Amino acid sequence: MADLLLTNVLPRGFDGPVDVRVADGRIAEIGPEIVVGGDVPTIDGGRRPVLPGLVEPHLHLDKAMLLGPERSELADRGTLEGAVSATAAAKENFTHDDVVARAEDVLRRAVRHGTTLVRTPVDVDPTVGLTSIDALLEVKERWAGVVELQVVAFPQEGIAARPGTYDLLVEAMRRGADVIGGCSYAEDDVEGCREHVRTVFDLAERFDVDVDVHADFAPGPGDPRQDLAEHVAAVTAERGWGGRTTIGHVTTMAGLPDERRRRLAGTLAEAGVGLVVLPPTDLYLQGRAAPVAELLDAGVATALSSNNVRNAFTPFGTVDLLDVTMLAAHTQPFGTPEGLDRLLDLATSGAAGLLRVPGHDLAPGSRADLVVLDAPGADHHTALLDRVPRRFVISAGTLVAETVTTATLHGIRTATMMEA
Ligand SMILES: [Zn+2]
């Protein structure tokens, strides 16, 4: 693993610029003017702000980039049901090479924007079989050392509702999927949805893996299948899976009366259920998102992610987590310096904690995943608000991407992205 010296960068919480010494892919030392002997590769950070690698805890790589010219009709729905059915039809044409190509396209964009850790839910059902899972397990191997991938076996279309899915989920776990996924609203009735959640936890126990469930994806209560976060919390507590369970979306929560919403946040915190808010999809399909700041105040492990990129669920997306962060910032009170710090925490160590990847911060012993923001002399908040290019992206001590910014007439700067 790489040895490296990154000099003259500004971490949060330090008074002046520091150097970061990397050994064996981990941060060995942080401090001013570190001296190393020998031929260690050195990168001059140019007095720019630095962050730990960004983390996308919920990014559907198998279903991304489906809106090529020949598939543009897929975007023309704007509802959850429409997106599920349009994507179900698209899956009939998925091939191994097609899934790998689209996933790698998204990963290239993510890494250029500083993402070094991704959890990806991957559809498993009788239509696509194990094609996408096999593709993503191959991508995981191929990208090891650049971006760390957690692969989730995900029954988007239900388990009982799509006979044959259960056996495929078992086989996906046998082949090496890291996490078992669920989709708690995908069965025909609410009792079927409750059973779906229990089945997912049965598989989690059998394979000793974490749980990641899409849940409560409606504008508000009304459909009991879209109001099951408390049920997931109860099963989490019953099975002793606190700290190992994550739910995604939960837009229903945004439509609950104040008191019930706060009670739900307390229940999730107590059960150790984390929540990933997915603003690009949540806002596009439902015009609302779970209350991030309120969840944090209640002690819920919370993170943000892109979810979908350029498909019927979300026809947009740059795979830049800082864009997602600012999108969330428009829905909750994050305008203070403390709020901006919270957002930066969510995008880095907060999300990594939710994925149970320890030590994802700028401290000795942590994996050397470092993002240098191209804002010489500026503070992190300005760099976030400006969404500046990522000058250097370092993964496990290796430079994996850099963006060169050139000055032009009138002092306007333009960026060119490069892959290291
Ligand atoms: Zn999702």
Side-chain angles (χ1 to χ4, degrees):
M1 298 288 269
D3 284 8
L4 182 79
L5 185 66
L6 174 65
T7 65
N8 199 20
V9 286
L10 304 163
R12 286 195 291 160
F14 282 72
D15 288 337
V18 298
D19 299 344
V20 182
R21 182 169 69 82
V22 174
D24 296 327
R26 298 200 164 265
I27 296 174
E29 190 180 357
I30 297 186
E33 293 172 31
I34 294 173
V35 178
V36 290
D39 246 355
V40 176
T42 300
I43 296 174
D44 180 2
R47 208 180 165 90
R48 293 175 173 90
V50 65
L51 287 171
L54 305 181
V55 182
E56 286 265 18
H58 187 131
L59 181 58
H60 292 266
L61 294 170
D62 59 326
K63 298 189 290 197
M65 310 306 279
L66 289 176
L67 298 181
E70 74 284 7
R71 287 161 165 170
S72 57
E73 79 282 0
L74 286 181
D76 197 24
R77 307 283 177 109
T79 64
L80 176 59
E81 297 72 26
V84 170
S85 67
T87 308
K91 277 190 282 188
E92 289 175 15
N93 299 317
F94 281 13
T95 65
H96 181 91
D97 291 351
D98 156 56
V99 175
V100 168
R102 287 183 291 101
E104 293 194 328
D105 181 3
V106 176
L107 282 181
R108 250 174 241 118
R109 294 164 197 263
V111 170
R112 285 167 178 172
H113 289 128
T115 292
T116 57
L117 171 61
V118 171
R119 176 179 279 185
T120 180
V122 181
D123 279 29
V124 172
D125 57 49
T127 304
V128 76
L130 297 165
T131 299
S132 297
I133 278 282
D134 285 345
L136 263 300
L137 288 171
E138 185 184 310
V139 169
K140 176 182 170 168
E141 291 277 307
R142 206 184 281 177
W143 283 70
V146 178
V147 60
E148 197 180 336
L149 266 187
Q150 292 185 357
V151 175
V152 184
F154 172 52
Q156 166 86 71
E157 297 172 28
I159 299 174
R162 288 302 312 271
T165 298
Y166 180 83
D167 290 343
L168 288 165
L169 286 173
V170 169
E171 184 56 22
M173 299 315 297
R174 284 203 185 112
R175 292 189 186 190
D178 303 287
V179 175
I180 184 73
C183 191
S184 65
Y185 49 79
E187 308 295 350
D188 294 336
D189 56 44
V190 67
E191 193 35 55
C193 289
R194 289 172 179 272
E195 189 55 33
H196 177 114
V197 171
R198 287 188 284 264
T199 301
V200 168
F201 278 87
D202 289 345
L203 287 168
E205 288 179 338
R206 176 168 163 190
F207 290 97
D208 191 20
V209 291
D210 293 359
V211 168
D212 201 316
V213 179
H214 288 56
D216 296 7
F217 197 18
D223 180 347
R225 297 175 306 160
Q226 299 283 15
D227 199 0
L228 287 176
E230 271 153 353
H231 174 66
V232 175
V235 179
T236 299
E238 189 184 295
R239 306 293 181 98
W241 237 250
R244 302 186 68 177
T245 302
T246 300
I247 50 180
H249 296 298
V250 200
T251 50
T252 302
M253 187 179 189
L256 296 177
D258 287 359
E259 198 193 316
R260 228 198 113 196
R261 203 177 62 244
R262 289 197 199 101
R263 201 168 60 234
L264 174 56
T267 302
L268 295 175
E270 200 173 318
V273 175
L275 202 161
V276 182
V277 182
L278 303 156
T281 305
D282 296 346
L283 296 175
Y284 176 68
L285 290 181
Q286 307 198 331
R288 56 184 62 201
V292 186
E294 205 172 292
L295 287 160
L296 290 169
D297 288 341
V300 179
T302 306
L304 299 165
S305 200
S306 294
N307 191 38
N308 281 294
V309 183
R310 302 186 201 181
N311 63 15
F313 295 88
T314 314
F316 321 115
T318 55
V319 212
D320 182 348
L321 189 62
L322 295 189
D323 279 353
V324 173
T325 302
M326 290 315 292
L327 203 51
H330 285 75
T331 69
Q332 287 271 284
F334 283 109
T336 61
E338 294 74 22
L340 295 174
D341 274 330
R342 271 186 143 181
L343 290 171
L344 291 169
D345 287 339
L346 284 181
T348 55
S349 51
L354 199 134
L355 300 190
R356 293 208 301 140
V357 173
H360 191 87
D361 45 24
L362 296 183
S366 293
R367 198 176 121 116
D369 290 0
L370 305 158
V371 188
V372 178
L373 307 173
D374 199 2
D379 62 275
H380 293 77
H381 296 166
T382 303
L384 170 61
L385 294 173
D386 285 343
R387 247 92 83 237
V388 297
R390 313 310 119 86
R391 181 68 186 87
F392 301 111
V393 182
I394 293 163
S395 180
T398 300
L399 179 66
V400 293
E402 63 177 301
T403 299
V404 177
T405 305
T406 44
T408 63
L409 279 176
H410 309 299
I412 297 168
R413 290 156 29 114
T414 57
T416 312
M417 284 184 173
M418 306 169 69
E419 276 178 78

